[in-house]
Amino acid sequence: MSITRPQRITGALLASHAADALGATLESQSATAIRERYPNGLRDIVGGGPFGLLPGQATHDTDLTRAVLLAYLDRARINAAGGDPDVASLAAGHMLKWLRGDWPERRQGRKPVHVGKTTLEGLQKYGETGEYVGSGGAGGEGKAGNGSLMRCLPTGLFEEDADRLLLDSVAISAITHADERCTVSCAAYNAIARDLVAGRTPQEAVESGLEVARKLEKDTAVADAIELGKKFSIADMAANGPVGLPSEASGFVLESLAIAVAAVLDKRPLEDVVIDVVRIGGDTDTNAAIAAGLLGARDGEDAVPERWVGRLQFGDDFAEIVSHILTTESGSSG
């Protein structure tokens, strides 16, 4: 049975959310420590971890993905009314609301459980000046964490125009992460996601991402990361640790991208691949969320285990937002 576009979009978001929640329990632990505690991998969402989360509670990965997702809901409504909004500004506004506590199950003024340093600095600057880290030039260079790659997925799911996808991917990354390795990684990742949503094979989608990286970047760092991901085995890294990753999968954007490429090319079921990505250790929640976004787009929402989906803080919320966006888009195009 063929997988529909809505099923792929919803699957990508639910898979990313579930993988984030699964990996949060083991955040920052080594592959060796995880193997000792869970010889066959952590298979259920149980909460806890360094942030003391409830089972299925979103980390900043999922919260900020939701902020970008809400920006695309805003865009769909504004487009339907004849407008042409700047989706990056919309996304930045929702991110700022999240930071300030204007968010489901939070109190106004209450800080998030966790926020990365680079993300915090970028959002504080936006709140004070209305300008992104990357506004007006190459600000934010030298900070190449995975904090924008973890949230960029909605652009790949909803932007079908190739040029607009690249522009929006770069702009949304540059709200907090303007280093070329981050902006180009987001663009390449979203090109992969777009192709998967369109029903292209993982191999074809990865080649599209590679083409984008070669087009946009001044050197070959992102393209090299994609090529590296094509050679990796997620199962081998899960069994032996993050061999070949100098930062040991601990938050460097290029390593997270390489893991995601390896994951989407892995022919096993989504559940098995996500569990093994967590087993690699390091930045377990974010690496898993990034990889699972592509796996969900590849396999659709039915591939995400029901026992995971039933625990997700924003499971119903994500499905409803997707439905609203697609309905609004359909109505405006008709």
Side-chain angles (χ1 to χ4, degrees):
M1 182 179 294
S2 62
I3 305 171
T4 66
R5 180 172 178 254
Q7 289 171 333
R8 292 184 188 277
I9 291 172
T10 304
L13 292 165
L14 293 179
S16 180
H17 188 349
D20 175 35
L22 184 76
T25 302
L26 300 172
E27 173 69 5
S28 300
Q29 294 192 30
S30 68
T32 300
I34 293 171
R35 188 161 53 248
E36 291 175 352
R37 186 176 175 187
Y38 297 100
N40 298 314
L42 177 61
R43 310 193 73 83
D44 294 302
I45 294 173
V46 297
F51 309 125
L53 301 178
L54 297 173
Q57 185 178 353
T59 76
H60 65 306
D61 302 48
T62 297
D63 278 332
L64 291 174
T65 299
R66 182 176 183 270
V68 179
L69 181 61
L70 289 172
Y72 279 91
L73 176 58
D74 292 342
R75 186 191 73 160
R77 290 169 171 167
I78 295 170
N79 283 344
D84 184 21
D86 173 11
V87 73
S89 293
L90 296 173
H94 285 294
M95 291 180 201
L96 203 57
K97 287 183 179 180
W98 164 77
L99 183 66
R100 293 171 172 172
D102 184 8
W103 207 248
E105 300 179 35
R106 292 253 307 283
R107 293 196 308 271
Q108 187 76 31
R110 185 178 178 184
K111 296 180 179 178
V113 173
H114 174 67
V115 56
K117 181 180 178 182
T118 303
T119 297
L120 177 61
E121 292 174 351
L123 292 181
Q124 286 176 334
K125 175 180 178 179
Y126 180 77
E128 294 167 359
T129 68
E131 294 183 350
Y132 311 149
V133 168
S135 296
E141 290 183 352
K143 297 180 180 179
N146 56 16
S148 61
L149 187 60
M150 74 185 190
R151 68 176 188 239
C152 73
L153 177 62
T155 301
L157 302 181
F158 293 105
E159 184 51 78
E160 298 180 82
D161 180 83
D163 291 337
R164 188 76 255 171
L165 180 142
L166 302 190
L167 290 171
D168 287 349
S169 296
V170 169
I172 293 172
S173 175
I175 295 167
T176 58
H177 291 67
D179 187 285
E180 183 181 84
R181 291 167 291 182
C182 300
T183 59
V184 177
S185 287
C186 288
Y189 177 91
N190 279 331
I192 297 171
R194 176 202 60 206
D195 277 17
L196 292 169
V197 167
R200 297 187 177 91
T201 68
Q203 292 77 13
E204 291 170 334
V206 168
E207 290 307 310
S208 291
L210 189 57
E211 182 180 343
V212 165
R214 289 171 174 163
K215 175 182 179 179
L216 293 182
E217 65 182 337
K218 298 182 181 68
D219 56 27
T220 63
V222 177
D224 290 347
I226 294 172
E227 292 284 9
L228 184 62
K230 290 163 64 175
K231 300 172 185 176
F232 274 156
S233 163
I234 294 295
D236 286 349
M237 284 196 291
N240 303 308
V243 178
L245 299 178
S247 297
E248 298 186 336
S250 292
F252 181 35
V253 66
L254 298 180
E255 292 186 356
S256 295
L257 179 63
I259 289 169
V261 168
V264 78
L265 293 174
D266 192 316
K267 296 181 180 180
R268 294 178 296 159
L270 178 151
E271 178 180 354
D272 294 338
V273 181
V274 169
I275 289 168
D276 272 358
V277 170
V278 173
R279 290 177 67 198
I280 294 170
D283 194 1
T284 50
D285 60 342
T286 305
N287 289 332
I290 293 167
L294 298 184
L295 290 166
R298 183 191 76 179
D299 296 344
E301 62 182 303
D302 289 345
V304 188
E306 289 184 8
R307 70 183 192 281
W308 290 359
V309 174
R311 295 205 131 186
L312 300 181
Q313 178 182 359
F314 293 123
D316 292 341
D317 180 69
F318 277 8
E320 290 172 4
I321 295 172
V322 169
S323 178
H324 285 316
I325 293 173
L326 295 179
T327 300
T328 304
E329 288 180 343
S330 176
S332 62
S333 64

